[in-house]
Amino acid sequence: MKAKTTTKVAVIAGAGPAGLTAAYELLKQTDIKPIVCEKTAAIGGISQTVQYHGNRMDIGGHRFFSKSDRVMQWWQQVMPLQAQPSKDDILLGETEKNFAPQGPDPEKEDRTMLLRRRVSRIFFLRKFFDYPISMKKETFLNMGFVRMMRAGFGYLWACVHKLPETSLENFYINRFGRPLYEMFFEDYTTKVWGVHPSNLGADWGSQRVKGLSVIAVLKDMWRKNFGTKDTAEVETSLIEQFIYPKYGPGQLWEIVAKEVERMGGEIRMQAVVSGVQIEKGKVSGVTITEADGKQETIACDYFLSTMPIKDLLPALKGIEVPTEVAKVAAELPYRDFITVGLLVNKMKIKNETKLRTYAQRVPDTWIYIQERDVKIGRLQIFNNWSPYLVKDYEHTMWIGLEYFCTEGDELWNMPSEQFIEMAKAELAKIDIIDAADVLDACHVKIQKAYPAYYGSYYQLDSVRKFLDTIPNLFCLGRNGQHRYNNMDHSMMTAFETVSAIKSGQIEDKSTIWNVNTETEYHESK
């Protein structure tokens, strides 16, 4: 395809889902040339796929599911869904032999999506509970009689005695009752955010678990047993399947990056946006600093920022940033993320569900670790995301131990070897693996993975109003809006941004900021 002749330039900070979607759509819909500047050496942001000794790691886990038809169609235009299982696939948990690496070579761009079965469970009291909590017999047996009675009466009390939703703690208690909240939400939420739920805003809950409650779980059970299930009506946390790129989420975004370059866009890696030049109230150019320290200012007509707002405000040059606005941006809180990849011969936990799995392995894509005596938050099992993520699927299991931390704290500063030993010891302590079965390990740190909902977050509107006075500057994506978006919502902010630019309606950015503020949909991870 011949590159388009362009008359305008858009600089895009960040080669994650929002930035790459925006670049792709600009090339498809306009004559504007996108120049994407990515500060790291990886495509995809937190949706990248990390490769280590032939195994692939999905950072944080990315289920490709959306209630937006446009997003679903967009993904499958880039990577079509495989209609039938082949001998090299697991489709919806059905087992076959001769798995990866005998499958197609990813270097040959095998653009295929797999249809995957979602299984997520909670590990608590050294037992498994459904996630979200179900009303099954096994749930009550695992809880024990006393906990079950407390949970039941606590829920009934919460139904008639509603608390003011001034905190995430009250949000959860109103929907589940205090005993269930204390069992399944309190400690895990504290692990994730480093802050007790009583000090977190209820609006985080309204984004991540919007319609999820005991009533929603009961309705879902009724649909499964007595009626057809319409995914448009099902709470997103209850979805049972999703599509997934064979070689992880990074594969899709790497393909999109190649398409952007093929159509005439540019992608500059290890290029940090260090300055945003403002002239006569508009962005006139963007200064980038490359890995070798060389700087270049790129003249542009539009600037699309997915960089953290905390970093964007200090980069603005030629405009006076109000002191209070600068202070709010500088104090915006984030949580950082560490994954330890462990390659093991086997896991001690076995499949005791009714689901078919290879060699009776557990079927979970990830497991929420609610045990109070370990720091680990979640456990991913990459074999169950896609067999192609694992170099030797038949003989090894490739798992990811997820830890939430804050840059500069004890976990973040811990040396890699020490951290890996701690992670191995924690999984052995709760009887998930035997440390002697570990064959290999790696340690990956991700900065600013989760925009947090406390502190100066509650003054974020003042920052938004100031940024919106710059008509050709657009904030999109998770960090660009300091909003805990899933991948599809980040893409939707890009759609809205390109639509505004194409129509020339760039003064009012409310449609971009309003993505993911609806009350019906989001997935709780």
Side-chain angles (χ1 to χ4, degrees), residues 316-361:
L316 298 178
K317 312 297 181 184
I319 189 172
E320 184 177 350
V321 180
T323 302
E324 187 58 32
V325 169
K327 183 175 185 293
V328 170
E331 294 177 356
L332 283 172
Y334 299 83
R335 284 291 271 175
D336 305 288
F337 188 73
I338 297 174
T339 297
V340 171
L342 293 183
L343 186 69
V344 297
N345 285 315
K346 62 183 182 297
M347 299 175 72
K348 292 176 74 172
I349 50 176
K350 297 295 183 182
N351 181 17
E352 296 179 355
T353 72
K354 296 178 181 178
L355 302 173
R356 293 176 59 196
T357 60
Y358 181 74
Q360 283 301 102
R361 293 169 174 170

Side-chain angles (χ1 to χ4, degrees), residues 246-259:
K246 278 190 174 181
Y247 298 98
Q251 182 192 11
L252 181 138
W253 296 112
E254 287 158 15
I255 290 171
V256 173
K258 290 178 183 177
E259 288 294 303

Side-chain angles (χ1 to χ4, degrees), residues 40-321:
T40 72
I43 291 290
I46 63 169
S47 298
Q48 66 185 270
T49 299
V50 174
Q51 297 193 40
Y52 179 75
H53 293 176
N55 298 295
R56 293 174 171 81
M57 184 186 304
D58 181 348
I59 300 297
H62 291 83
R63 299 184 177 108
F64 284 67
F65 173 85
S66 178
K67 289 190 175 181
S68 165
D69 290 339
R70 183 176 183 183
V71 171
M72 294 296 288
Q73 291 165 5
W74 199 95
W75 281 332
Q76 291 186 58
Q77 285 172 358
V78 177
M79 296 185 68
L81 177 63
Q82 180 173 293
Q84 298 293 330
S86 72
K87 68 178 182 180
D88 294 314
D89 294 326
I90 302 176
L91 189 63
L92 289 175
E94 295 194 15
T95 56
E96 300 284 350
K97 290 191 175 181
N98 302 316
F99 299 109
Q102 290 83 9
D105 184 350
E107 297 302 319
K108 296 179 181 177
E109 283 199 352
D110 175 22
R111 299 188 180 190
T112 304
M113 287 277 199
L114 302 178
L115 184 61
R116 311 304 296 147
R117 176 180 62 197
R118 171 184 175 154
V119 181
S120 296
R121 290 184 293 172
I122 295 168
F123 194 69
F124 177 55
L125 305 172
R126 304 315 198 247
K127 299 173 183 177
F128 280 106
F129 293 81
D130 287 344
Y131 177 82
I133 291 296
S134 69
M135 299 296 112
K136 295 178 181 177
K137 177 180 72 175
E138 291 82 1
T139 302
F140 300 124
L141 290 175
N142 285 345
M143 261 190 212
F145 180 77
V146 173
R147 287 190 185 90
M148 180 185 71
M149 295 301 292
R150 285 185 63 239
F153 284 115
Y155 174 69
L156 292 174
W157 176 253
C159 288
V160 298
H161 183 72
K162 294 296 182 184
L163 299 174
E165 293 198 349
T166 54
S167 68
L168 184 59
E169 179 174 64
N170 288 1
F171 176 93
Y172 281 134
I173 291 171
N174 281 346
R175 283 153 183 78
F176 298 94
R178 184 173 291 278
L180 281 175
Y181 155 73
E182 290 175 347
M183 277 189 273
F184 295 109
F185 295 97
E186 184 176 23
D187 288 293
Y188 181 77
T189 302
T190 303
K191 278 185 185 181
V192 172
W193 296 110
V195 175
H196 191 268
S198 61
N199 295 317
L200 285 169
D203 46 350
W204 183 84
S206 68
Q207 278 198 334
R208 302 303 291 182
V209 290
K210 286 173 180 165
L212 186 60
S213 64
V214 171
I215 295 298
V217 172
L218 291 173
K219 285 181 178 178
D220 184 68
M221 292 176 64
W222 177 268
R223 288 191 190 99
K224 288 178 183 177
N225 293 311
F226 301 106
T228 58
K229 179 182 274 193
D230 179 358
T231 53
E233 297 180 358
V234 177
E235 179 60 28
T236 313
S237 296
L238 303 172
I239 63 165
E240 295 181 319
Q241 62 187 40
F242 57 94
I243 57 175
Y244 192 76
K246 278 190 174 181
Y247 298 98
Q251 182 192 11
L252 181 138
W253 296 112
E254 287 158 15
I255 290 171
V256 173
K258 290 178 183 177
E259 288 294 303
V260 167
E261 292 181 316
R262 183 180 67 82
M263 291 188 288
E266 290 184 32
I267 297 179
R268 303 190 182 188
M269 303 303 294
Q270 293 181 290
V272 177
V273 171
S274 52
V276 180
Q277 315 305 323
I278 309 295
E279 294 181 11
K280 297 180 180 179
K282 293 184 177 182
V283 177
S284 61
V286 174
T287 301
I288 61 171
T289 303
E290 298 179 351
D292 60 3
K294 180 182 176 182
Q295 289 193 331
E296 177 186 357
T297 298
I298 305 169
C300 64
D301 301 278
Y302 305 97
F303 177 52
L304 283 58
S305 174
T306 73
M307 62 196 287
I309 290 177
K310 188 173 192 173
D311 299 333
L312 172 61
L313 269 291
L316 298 178
K317 312 297 181 184
I319 189 172
E320 184 177 350
V321 180

